[in-house]
Amino acid sequence: MMPSFRGKRSARTSVEIDGITVPVRVHYERRRNVRCSIGQKEAILRLPNYLLPGQEKKHWQWFTDWLSKNKEALREKFSPDLYEDGDLLTVGSRSYIIKIEYSDNKSHTGKVTKDGFIALKLVKEDPQLARSVKRLLSRIVAKDFQAEMEGRVDHWNDNYFKTEINSVRLKYNSSNWGSCSSKGN
């Protein structure tokens, strides 16, 4: 069913597609056509400013049908990665086995053990557990790859750029591969 957003320039809602809750942003714009896409954080529906109520409902149905046809992309983008004890995580040429232990601590912790495991201590009650674990794993793996990445950056810098490097940091980026600051970071 189409939510009503009359009088707004943009609005947020969500739609359920085959068990996947997809966040949706609806934009009303000066345009003649209808357009939709799957963005980084939400599906986007762009509608003309002036539509008759029946047209709006028709376009919403078309949009939900389009989302249903793209459910694999939706599943990949909007389904939380749920990690379980014993799962295999492969990053580049390295593989880790995840060991999970739940605790009453106030924050999540984790580390790479000498035998190639990632040992996680997770808080029992976390409504954003999947998101928190994803961030934690990102930080743990970045720390494990830190020396290798510094070596690669030094190699390319020595061969091509020949500038002073202050530090190399690895982060979980979604839109760029890297950046350099004026301070050599």
Side-chain angles (χ1 to χ4, degrees):
M1 183 164 142
M2 169 71 190
S4 179
F5 302 118
R6 281 296 191 213
K8 296 184 179 181
R9 295 178 75 96
S10 72
R12 285 194 163 119
T13 187
S14 63
V15 65
E16 186 87 15
I17 305 290
D18 287 349
I20 305 165
T21 302
V22 180
V24 175
R25 179 176 284 262
V26 180
H27 291 281
Y28 289 90
E29 302 171 332
R30 186 176 166 187
R31 60 173 39 249
R32 292 183 180 183
N33 60 357
V34 177
R35 188 172 158 216
C36 62
S37 62
I38 299 173
Q40 281 296 114
K41 298 179 180 177
E42 59 205 357
I44 302 164
L45 174 62
R46 297 180 181 280
L47 296 170
N49 278 331
Y50 303 104
L51 286 174
L52 298 172
Q55 288 177 314
E56 191 171 9
K57 190 174 184 179
K58 180 182 94 173
H59 292 312
W60 183 260
Q61 184 60 50
W62 170 81
F63 175 63
T64 56
D65 291 345
W66 180 81
L67 288 173
S68 293
K69 290 177 187 172
N70 291 287
K71 61 183 145 206
E72 286 308 313
L74 296 177
R75 190 174 321 305
E76 184 177 314
K77 192 78 103 159
F78 300 113
S79 290
D81 293 328
L82 301 175
Y83 295 98
E84 295 179 9
D85 191 51
D87 280 355
L88 181 68
L89 175 66
T90 302
V91 180
S93 60
R94 298 183 191 180
S95 293
Y96 308 94
I97 295 175
I98 298 174
K99 293 291 180 189
I100 298 176
E101 177 184 324
Y102 290 94
S103 70
D104 293 326
N105 294 346
K106 293 184 179 183
S107 63
H108 305 293
T109 61
K111 64 179 179 179
V112 176
T113 63
K114 292 179 183 176
D115 49 357
F117 290 94
I118 293 182
L120 300 176
K121 285 189 178 181
L122 305 177
V123 177
K124 290 179 184 175
E125 300 297 322
D126 182 358
Q128 302 271 326
L129 184 63
R131 185 174 172 199
S132 299
V133 170
K134 188 175 182 178
R135 282 189 181 156
L136 180 60
L137 286 172
S138 172
R139 290 181 183 142
I140 293 168
V141 170
K143 188 175 180 181
D144 194 39
F145 274 86
Q146 184 71 34
E148 181 180 330
M149 290 299 117
E150 286 174 354
R152 287 184 184 189
V153 169
D154 288 339
H155 166 78
W156 289 107
N157 183 48
D158 292 345
N159 288 326
Y160 295 99
F161 305 107
K162 298 177 180 24
T163 60
E164 185 178 333
I165 295 176
N166 185 33
S167 70
V168 176
R169 289 181 292 216
L170 300 174
K171 295 182 179 180
Y172 186 80
N173 287 0
S174 59
S175 62
N176 67 344
W177 286 23
S179 62
C180 301
S181 74
S182 60
K183 295 179 181 178
N185 296 321

